[in-house]
Amino acid sequence: MTANTTREITYLEAVREAMVQEMRLDQEVFLIGEDVGTYGGAFGVSKGMLEEFGPERIRDTPISEAAIAGAATGAALMGMRPIMEIMFMDFLTISMNQLVNAAAKMRFMFGGKCSIPMVIRAPSGSGTGAAAQHSQSLEAWFVNVPGIKVVAPSSPYDAKGLLVTAIRDNNPVLFMEHKLLYRMKGPVPEESYRIPLQSAEVKREGRDLTIVAYSIMVPRALEAAEKLAVEGIEVEVVDPRCLKPLDVDTIARSVSKTGRALIAHEAPVTGGFGGELAAVIVASEAFDYLDAPIRRLAGRDVPIPYNRTLERAAVPQVEDIVAAARALAQEGK
Amino acid sequence: MTVLTPEIETAAPPSSQRLLKELPREKLAWMLQRMCEIRYFEEKAEDLYIRGQVHGTMHLSIGQEAASVGSIATLRPEDLIIHHHRGHGHTIAKGANLTTMMAEFLGKEPGYCRGRGGSMHIADIPGGNLGATGVVGGGIPTAVGIALALQMRRTDQILLSYFGDGATNEGEFHESLNMASTWKLPVVFICDNNQYGMSMHVTKVMNIQHISERAASYGIPGQSVDGNDVLAVYEAVLAADEHARSGQGPSLIDLMSYRWRGHSKSDRNLYRTPQEIDEWKHKCPIRRFKQVLVDGGVMTRDEVEGIDQTAKTAIDHAAEEALTFPEPSPENMEAEVYAP
């Protein structure tokens, strides 16, 4: 990364730039999904790509999420590198047979004699007033399926570097793009670069407690950490970035240092990925350093409501993280 | 409703007589041998199961041999197939090594999928068999992607996508045929219509006479064919192949046949009568093809029975050898899940 080519772009532009650069390098990479062409994608991520790459590689589809997933899976089986855009992560419910029973399993089920290099780009999360069927965070379902990798970047820099890696990966990779992060700006190098998938990052250092957060919860945790710093509580924020495969070491090292762990995610708490994070912390060397129980701050066990007040209340906000972290910092003292 | 229990002619229709003259004798002999190998493979599979030498499940296609052989006989070596749980026939017709295939059926390490797939998921990827899926209709969307790759790479290969009659009631069938026809993909959709989705007869689960009628809603050719007549199957699928290969897109070919055995190993056939099964056994596609070959003067009775015996011996040898193969090791299975 050289400073003179780095400029500020949005998360959405970073995602687009990763796709564009990979498509320029490799004819076998293509984008397939609903309204990705002339419309530019429901959120505008593929805007302008049709003009550069044409309708064959920026492929508009019928509203057929099972067939879109099948088209990506089959093309990947043939050695191409499709990027499938699902308009909303919620619609992956219709793609599940292809993703879970075909894409994830073919390699193992056929004795390791094929691979499925594809990316499933999925706008996720609440906060846009889109209600219960356009706001979900379904990562826990996919993490529980051997054969799929799951990535959830929290910044423009991470989005570009992780997407390039995901496109180059020889397996199905679910790439979660939080809708509220699309407009977030940050420094991103113009040239292509890769971030290894299994690499958590310490987003902020601190001594008093660790917040393990991913996707939208990372900027919220960082904002909470600023507020807590004023009170003298120094929070360390660790972003796994990739949920599967998971970089347990970086998380365990941080919790060993601080002795306290707060896990934050937007998906409903019951059966959420936070349970897995808590389990790997307990099973690691960090267990001996824990000064307080591990706490989970996650979405409430409700469908995402439409009303703004209810919607905010359904998932952790900055003030919720501040309160939970403050309490945890004092717990057992 | 009688349409889906067609009276199968015992003499070949005129088209078959023409094909009998046009096709080289070696091709016809190849077809008979593959049909016999499928029959003997599945009888052997059943026997091994009864003797307790097989751990898992299986779905037999005995009675449907003409459909898989007649269709795959139309392909060029570089063409591809994707198929379904009742897939022993397609696998053998596509040229599988019988011992490697039997080894997979037995769950052995040297099997096609190293014992990870079993009867329901045999794939021979270098041989153009892109695998069998066990979720009804689940191979059809994947077929769209395979055919899309063939089209984007400007190859002149085609894909045969097989599924059963029950699969045509799945949403994935509709999404996929619509998408493939919209993009004129080089795929032929082939319905192995054995008239039953597990216990449900087609007439109880759809309000049309022929599954091929569904082609009309995708603007593609559709044809229902006597799936017990290997030459009629060949003729129909070859035309669909040419349609696909020339860039005109997919077709839907409904190969009407009948499965003699139950859905899987636990089926007690409560949904049909022994008389019905016997009637269809009298329409055996192998016996019928042998008769056509003899009556057409292509081969003598001794020659067709010689081919039959060759097939039987090949299956016996494959089973004997595969039974001696090693079991896979459960160590490091996790390392196989992801590609490097």
Side-chain angles (χ1 to χ4, degrees):
Chain A
M1 171 173 168
T2 50
N4 61 345
T5 59
T6 296
R7 73 287 190 233
E8 295 249 321
I9 59 172
T10 64
Y11 184 100
L12 182 149
E13 290 163 337
V15 171
R16 181 192 302 145
E17 193 165 271
M19 290 195 288
V20 165
Q21 290 180 349
E22 285 303 303
M23 285 184 66
R24 285 176 187 159
L25 281 174
D26 184 354
Q27 284 291 320
E28 302 275 23
V29 179
F30 67 98
L31 176 66
I32 181 167
E34 291 158 3
D35 304 297
V36 296
T38 309
Y39 197 98
F43 295 93
V45 177
S46 55
K47 196 174 161 197
M49 290 176 70
L50 176 68
E51 290 72 9
E52 177 169 355
F53 298 106
E56 199 172 21
R57 294 179 69 203
I58 304 297
R59 184 171 288 264
D60 276 324
T61 68
I63 302 171
S64 301
E65 290 83 4
I68 293 166
T73 302
L77 175 63
M78 295 293 289
M80 298 189 79
R81 293 188 177 276
I83 304 167
M84 149 188 173
E85 177 177 302
I86 200 80
M87 189 180 284
F88 288 84
M89 186 174 210
D90 314 67
F91 305 166
L92 286 178
T93 49
I94 299 159
S95 311
M96 287 305 256
N97 183 41
Q98 290 303 302
L99 300 180
V100 173
N101 289 322
K105 293 189 175 40
M106 277 179 170
R107 178 178 176 78
F108 184 90
M109 192 166 80
F110 297 154
K113 294 176 183 173
C114 64
S115 57
I116 309 291
M118 63 186 270
V119 176
I120 306 127
R121 291 188 33 247
S124 68
S126 66
T128 63
Q133 297 171 343
H134 293 71
S135 301
Q136 291 172 86
S137 304
L138 301 175
E139 65 272 20
W141 292 1
F142 291 90
V143 164
N144 199 231
V145 177
I148 295 183
K149 298 183 179 183
V150 180
V151 180
S154 67
S155 73
Y157 180 86
D158 287 354
K160 180 174 173 183
L162 288 167
L163 184 52
V164 171
T165 309
I167 293 168
R168 288 293 125 204
D169 197 281
N170 289 321
N171 298 282
V173 181
L174 174 67
F175 194 84
M176 293 173 64
E177 301 166 7
H178 200 290
K179 296 189 280 283
L180 295 184
L181 292 175
Y182 273 142
R183 287 158 190 257
M184 173 200 248
K185 278 197 149 190
V188 176
E190 275 178 30
E191 62 272 19
S192 184
Y193 59 96
R194 297 189 194 186
I195 299 172
L197 295 190
Q198 194 174 5
S199 63
E201 188 176 58
V202 177
K203 295 288 187 185
R204 177 193 173 102
E205 294 199 16
R207 61 171 189 274
D208 295 325
L209 85 155
T210 299
I211 299 178
V212 184
Y214 56 89
S215 189
I216 188 70
M217 289 299 146
V218 175
R220 287 185 190 165
L222 290 170
E223 196 180 330
E226 290 291 320
K227 293 183 192 300
L228 290 161
V230 176
E231 303 174 18
I233 298 170
E234 290 298 333
V235 172
E236 180 145 308
V237 178
V238 180
D239 177 3
R241 300 199 286 199
C242 176
L243 310 187
K244 192 176 184 181
L246 181 66
D247 172 7
V248 177
D249 290 348
T250 301
I251 297 166
R253 204 178 308 123
S254 173
V255 177
S256 298
K257 182 177 86 174
T258 63
R260 291 160 202 275
L262 173 67
I263 295 159
H265 62 65
E266 176 168 337
V269 63
T270 305
F273 190 65
E276 177 69 17
L277 287 168
V280 299
I281 292 168
V282 167
S284 76
E285 72 273 13
F287 179 73
D288 289 335
Y289 298 91
L290 283 174
D291 295 322
I294 297 169
R295 297 294 177 195
R296 285 187 293 165
L297 183 65
R300 290 161 68 174
D301 283 321
V302 296
I304 299 295
Y306 168 69
N307 172 276
R308 185 195 299 267
T309 304
L310 301 186
E311 186 186 30
R312 281 192 95 254
V315 302
Q317 304 296 331
V318 174
E319 61 270 24
D320 303 315
I321 300 174
V322 168
R326 187 189 288 132
L328 181 58
Q330 297 304 318
E331 208 167 332
K333 277 194 176 169
Chain B
M1 196 180 286
T2 55
V3 167
L4 285 158
T5 52
E7 273 309 310
I8 302 294
E9 300 294 329
T10 47
S15 60
S16 299
Q17 296 296 350
R18 183 175 54 73
L19 273 176
L20 215 51
K21 293 189 174 61
E22 281 179 16
L23 289 175
R25 184 184 183 280
E26 309 83 75
K27 180 92 178 178
L28 295 164
W30 180 93
M31 290 163 83
L32 178 61
Q33 182 161 344
R34 294 290 95 77
M35 288 170 72
C36 294
E37 285 170 357
I38 295 166
R39 176 69 57 89
Y40 286 123
F41 183 95
E42 298 206 310
E43 287 181 351
K44 179 66 76 178
E46 203 171 30
D47 180 55
L48 290 167
Y49 175 72
I50 290 165
R51 288 196 279 126
Q53 288 180 283
V54 184
H55 157 66
T57 194
M58 60 185 166
H59 304 81
L60 303 178
S61 65
I62 293 175
Q64 301 177 241
E65 296 87 351
S68 44
V69 171
S71 52
I72 288 171
T74 64
L75 295 182
R76 300 175 183 173
E78 66 273 21
D79 290 333
L80 305 170
I81 67 164
I82 182 166
H83 56 129
H84 53 79
H85 58 285
R86 202 173 305 284
H88 298 150
H90 315 113
T91 300
I92 289 173
K94 193 67 177 81
N97 176 294
L98 297 172
T99 305
T100 312
M101 186 181 166
M102 189 65 84
E104 185 58 35
F105 175 70
L106 293 167
K108 304 286 192 175
E109 177 68 25
Y112 269 112
C113 307
R114 302 175 54 227
R116 275 71 169 164
S119 164
M120 206 167 7
H121 302 299
I122 302 181
D124 169 18
I125 288 164
N129 172 359
L130 300 185
T133 183
V135 179
V136 169
I140 315 176
T142 314
V144 172
I146 296 163
L148 178 61
L150 295 178
Q151 184 188 64
M152 289 179 76
R153 285 171 167 172
R154 310 281 186 269
T155 74
D156 64 354
Q157 291 162 270
I158 61 163
L159 170 72
L160 303 187
S161 168
Y162 292 90
F163 44 84
D165 42 277
T168 69
N169 292 333
E170 292 277 8
E172 289 192 325
F173 171 85
H174 172 65
E175 290 194 16
S176 301
L177 268 70
N178 179 62
M179 193 177 274
S181 69
T182 301
W183 295 343
K184 296 199 184 317
L185 297 181
V187 54
V188 180
F189 293 108
I190 298 184
C191 180
D192 283 321
N193 180 357
N194 64 23
Q195 309 190 38
Y196 286 93
M198 204 152 153
S199 69
M200 293 298 279
H201 193 261
V202 281
T203 51
K204 291 182 178 171
V205 294
M206 55 186 80
N207 189 29
I208 51 172
Q209 291 201 318
H210 286 107
I211 285 171
S212 58
E213 291 170 40
R214 295 190 160 171
S217 70
Y218 311 109
I220 62 174
Q223 191 181 351
S224 288
V225 181
D226 176 355
N228 278 11
D229 178 351
V230 69
L231 296 177
V233 172
Y234 181 93
E235 185 170 49
V237 175
L238 186 66
D241 291 355
E242 285 164 2
H243 191 76
R245 216 183 292 279
S246 61
Q248 297 177 79
S251 308
L252 174 60
I253 307 293
D254 168 25
L255 301 179
M256 297 184 294
S257 182
Y258 192 85
R259 74 168 143 75
W260 295 8
R261 297 297 192 265
H263 162 72
S264 66
K265 65 188 189 186
S266 58
D267 188 339
R268 293 165 55 213
N269 281 316
L270 297 174
Y271 49 87
R272 54 184 181 176
T273 62
Q275 291 80 357
E276 180 185 302
I277 300 171
D278 283 344
E279 276 175 38
W280 280 92
K281 284 184 177 173
H282 284 113
K283 298 167 188 170
C284 172
I286 295 176
R287 193 171 64 202
R288 177 174 168 187
F289 187 39
K290 285 177 178 173
Q291 194 63 46
V292 165
L293 291 170
V294 172
D295 290 350
V298 179
M299 291 179 204
T300 65
R301 177 59 64 183
D302 283 350
E303 283 170 328
V304 297
E305 294 310 328
I307 288 171
D308 187 298
Q309 276 307 304
T310 304
K312 184 172 191 313
T313 307
I315 296 298
D316 286 343
H317 284 162
E320 269 172 44
E321 193 181 357
L323 281 164
T324 68
F325 284 165
E327 294 279 309
S329 160
E331 279 173 38
N332 291 322
M333 277 198 289
E334 287 80 359
E336 303 169 15
V337 176
Y338 293 94

